[in-house]
Amino acid sequence: MPAAGPAQTFTSPVSKEFDVVVIGAGPGGYIAAIRAAQLGKTVACVEQWKNPEGKLKLGGTCLNVGCIPSKALLASSEAYENAQHHLADHGIGVGDLTLDVGKMVARKAAIVDKITGGVEFLFRKNKITWLKGHGTLLGRTATGVAIEVSGEGQAEVVGAKDVIIATGSKARHLPDVPVDNRIVSDNEGALSFDSVPKKLAVIGAGVIGLELGSVWRRLGADVTLLEALPEFLGACDESLSKEAAKLFKKQGLAIHFGVKIGEVKQNASGVSIAYTDKDGAAQTLDADRLIVSIGRVPNTDKLGLDAVGLATDARGFIPVDDQCRTSAPNIYAIGDVVRGPMLAHKAEDEGVLAAEVIVGQKPHIDYNCIPWVIYTEPEIAWVGKTEQQLRAEGRAYKTGQFPMMANGRALGIGKTDGFVKMIADATTDELLGCHIIAANASDLIAEAVVALEFKAASEDIGIICHPHPSLSEVVREASLAVTKRALNI
Ligand code: NAI
């Protein structure tokens, strides 16, 4: 880990001065810029992202090659799978089903265009200057920090009283396995396949591997995931990981755990992956395409951290305090480039927080109340503590669980897989965690997030009227189940 040296002094004139310059316009950076502008600051945001046509785009990974396009493809592939397997249950016949992957991918691209264009509109509305190019910190000036913006025409140097670094993360690649986003892809290429691979290999059965593996499985690919760890979805409550493993196996996702990846070779027909299985036996997996989804690394390339007296930690993150302050005065860092989960909504909250800290407000983020979501089918979402965390802490707790199968709305929409589980303190009944594997878990979890933020008891959710018939009734029933009062089971 490089030690932080002294900050450099930048004495040349700058072309423009801003109150706040945000580096990076992903969900952390563009939200930080908007909030700072709302609070009366003059704001600029540096962004260099280019789409495949070479057009500069705001929105970062989330909007361009992450959350938004993957959810578009998940919806398309779910519609295809429904038409293929489930509409007949409703008495609906669809005749000859066809699949136009090009059109599906074009729909996704149009959604991305619309939403990134929306951020451009928000920048104009909030009078935020988009500095097009790569931002590099040059050193301290008499009034703040100098930042060079380069790569698009003439380089320029601007000044900022405060800087928010929101440079995000990039896909981690395997050493010696070049990603061409054709045969071997990371999240970016895996969102733009031109046809459905017959056999798709995925290295890493984490969030991206499961979401994108699910997309291509639904469209007809034979998908095999190779996971280094011996257990599945280690961050989830163990009951959810168990249920997910069972359901994904039933859907046809083959997942091998405890593997060690060896040589990965491209050949005329695709790619061949040598690995040792959990018993140490040598295996080979041949596939048409490979997705490498083994985590992400923070983006600090050519950022000029050393010029302002900063250095990354051993894992490449920029160290910050609870209010996203780095050790350099007036320089903040948020989102994937700092500690904590690499989630768009966590980055957004930190963006708001950093802007509010700059104007002297006292915002706070409770990281225990940040929800997690995995957009598989069914979706997986949770907030707060898992059973295994509470056991490790030695905290006494009680649980309540309710199956989707016993919910009328779930039956009506044909989404009866999964359950909701609530965990509450054994003595005070304070809700400590909510764990959902169910259709619409990403929406259902919001109620539990509110409950945790407000330090509600499980009884509070149990006695609140919920709309009928709705999936949200399962959240209520699971809360009632904590005190063995569930009504419909
Ligand atoms: P991840 O951390 O979720 O999963 C990576 C998996 O790869 C882990 O299970 C890990 O054990 C495995 N792995 C690592 N090295 C390996 C190797 N050499 N061989 C085999 N397996 C190996 O990372 P992922 O899926 O790449 O996602 C990156 C980040 O993006 C995550 O932090 C995730 O939170 C975020 N993200 C969030 C989404 C959401 O909120 N729905 C959607 C997509 C990404």
Side-chain angles (χ1 to χ4, degrees):
M1 181 175 83
Q8 290 165 24
T9 305
F10 186 87
T11 50
S12 307
V14 297
S15 65
K16 291 176 204 125
E17 285 274 5
F18 296 92
D19 291 332
V20 179
V21 169
V22 182
I23 306 180
Y30 89 73
I31 290 290
I34 291 173
R35 186 70 187 122
Q38 283 177 346
L39 291 164
K41 297 288 181 186
T42 56
V43 183
C45 185
V46 191
E47 178 56 67
Q48 62 181 350
W49 189 286
K50 279 189 183 154
N51 73 4
E53 289 79 49
K55 201 162 170 240
L56 282 152
K57 288 281 171 186
L58 297 171
T61 299
C62 168
L63 274 64
N64 287 284
V65 291
C67 315
I68 300 302
S70 62
K71 265 78 260 177
L73 287 188
L74 278 159
S76 297
S77 60
E78 200 176 328
Y80 181 72
E81 189 171 57
N82 278 339
Q84 210 175 21
H85 299 296
H86 306 303
L87 289 187
D89 297 341
H90 295 258
I92 302 170
V94 286
D96 282 342
L97 198 60
T98 60
L99 178 61
D100 183 340
V101 174
K103 195 164 177 186
M104 195 178 276
V105 169
R107 173 184 179 270
K108 174 217 73 175
I111 291 169
V112 167
D113 252 10
K114 192 166 185 160
I115 198 155
T116 52
V119 181
E120 284 186 45
F121 162 79
L122 291 172
F123 271 25
R124 284 194 298 275
K125 183 182 157 201
N126 288 284
K127 301 190 173 39
I128 296 163
T129 305
W130 177 5
L131 298 169
K132 293 174 178 161
H134 181 91
T136 306
L137 301 160
L138 295 180
R140 300 208 76 87
T141 63
T143 51
V145 180
I147 302 127
E148 183 189 61
V149 182
S150 62
E152 295 300 317
Q154 185 85 37
E156 71 169 323
V157 178
V158 298
K161 289 190 192 115
D162 291 281
V163 173
I164 301 175
I165 300 170
T167 45
S169 62
K170 59 183 172 223
R172 188 156 80 84
H173 292 168
L174 283 164
D176 307 322
V177 183
V179 167
D180 60 7
N181 276 326
R182 208 177 59 80
I183 301 297
V184 179
S185 299
D186 54 22
N187 58 299
E188 214 163 322
L191 291 165
S192 297
F193 287 168
D194 52 6
S195 60
V196 180
K198 243 172 111 89
K199 287 191 80 171
L200 174 65
V202 181
I203 300 182
V207 179
I208 293 179
L210 287 171
E211 292 187 5
L212 293 179
S214 298
V215 164
W216 296 106
R217 179 200 59 75
R218 289 173 192 160
L219 298 176
D222 175 3
V223 181
T224 304
L225 295 105
L226 300 175
E227 167 58 49
L229 292 176
E231 83 270 6
F232 189 38
L233 293 175
C236 278
D237 188 86
E238 54 206 7
S239 60
L240 258 72
S241 344
K242 241 188 244 157
E243 183 74 4
K246 196 179 79 191
L247 292 171
F248 297 161
K249 191 171 172 193
K250 204 167 91 187
Q251 291 169 5
L253 276 182
I255 311 179
H256 302 298
F257 296 100
V259 308
K260 194 166 181 315
I261 303 295
E263 199 179 2
V264 177
K265 275 194 297 198
Q266 284 202 34
N267 50 42
S269 57
V271 57
S272 172
I273 303 135
Y275 67 96
T276 29
D277 67 18
K278 62 178 184 348
D279 304 315
Q283 306 283 357
T284 306
L285 175 66
D286 292 313
D288 308 314
R289 292 187 194 247
L290 166 66
I291 299 174
V292 179
S293 49
I294 55 167
R296 298 181 64 83
V297 287
N299 262 335
T300 53
D301 297 347
K302 300 197 197 99
L303 185 54
L305 289 178
D306 49 343
V308 290
L310 290 174
T312 56
D313 67 14
R315 295 171 58 223
F317 293 99
I318 300 174
V320 286
D321 68 10
D322 282 353
Q323 298 209 301
C324 294
R325 284 190 192 88
T326 67
S327 57
N330 306 91
I331 301 183
Y332 301 77
I334 62 167
D336 286 8
V337 82
V338 304
R339 82 283 172 269
M342 287 181 166
L343 298 169
H345 45 277
K346 172 260 193 186
E348 286 180 46
D349 284 11
E350 287 181 338
V352 170
L353 173 135
E356 292 179 351
V357 171
I358 286 170
V359 299
Q361 295 183 1
K362 294 192 167 45
H364 169 73
I365 293 175
D366 182 349
Y367 286 86
N368 186 50
C369 292
I370 292 174
W372 293 70
V373 184
I374 308 176
Y375 292 85
T376 42
E377 166 65 38
E379 292 178 355
I380 296 170
W382 74 94
V383 63
K385 300 283 172 80
T386 61
E387 272 205 68
Q388 57 271 32
Q389 281 173 327
L390 290 167
R391 274 202 306 273
E393 285 175 17
R395 185 159 184 182
Y397 62 88
K398 48 196 179 168
T399 66
Q401 194 167 310
F402 194 86
M404 301 306 288
M405 184 61 95
N407 174 267
R409 184 72 193 280
L411 282 168
I413 62 173
K415 304 270 186 190
T416 51
D417 281 337
F419 57 80
V420 176
K421 170 168 148 180
M422 292 296 201
I423 309 181
D425 185 275
T427 315
T428 64
D429 193 35
E430 179 187 339
L431 264 183
L432 303 175
C434 172
H435 305 273
I436 307 178
I437 177 163
N440 297 15
S442 55
D443 294 313
L444 294 175
I445 198 67
E447 178 179 12
V449 176
V450 174
L452 253 74
E453 278 281 6
F454 281 73
K455 304 228 172 300
S458 78
E459 187 186 22
D460 292 328
I461 305 294
I463 60 177
I464 290 172
C465 189
H466 285 62
H468 173 78
S470 75
L471 300 182
S472 71
E473 288 172 288
V474 180
V475 177
R476 180 189 201 179
E477 290 278 16
S479 304
L480 287 170
V482 171
T483 43
K484 306 205 182 330
R485 289 169 50 197
L487 298 162
N488 284 286
I489 201 155

